[in-house]
Amino acid sequence: VRLSWGQALGAPASLSLIDIQGKTVRLVEIPGAVREAELPLKGLNPGMYHIRISDGARQLKQTLIVR
């Protein structure tokens, strides 16, 4: 799935996909100065996940439902 956000990140960041139990199931490194990233969903069980993007100075959060 392609994720995008309004303002480019100011520094390299990490994108974490966290399952409902709080376990990180995917970790994607994102270069700075981008406004989108690809998150692979292959092999994930259906359910609710939390997406967290952090560049050290700020953090973006969103919920994702995998069917």
Side-chain angles (χ1 to χ4, degrees):
V1 67
R2 182 162 295 281
L3 305 171
S4 61
W5 45 93
Q7 186 177 9
L9 299 171
S14 61
L15 186 157
S16 302
L17 184 66
I18 303 159
D19 69 13
I20 199 71
Q21 287 85 28
K23 179 180 174 188
T24 300
V25 295
R26 295 281 192 280
L27 184 61
V28 177
E29 297 301 320
I30 304 171
V34 299
R35 291 180 18 190
E36 62 182 27
E38 188 72 28
L39 177 63
L41 300 181
K42 186 175 182 173
L44 287 179
N45 292 323
M48 184 169 70
Y49 295 85
H50 299 286
I51 298 169
R52 183 175 61 216
I53 301 171
S54 177
D55 69 0
R58 64 186 170 148
Q59 199 171 81
L60 306 171
K61 296 180 184 180
Q62 188 62 265
T63 300
L64 174 71
I65 305 291
V66 176
R67 296 182 184 197

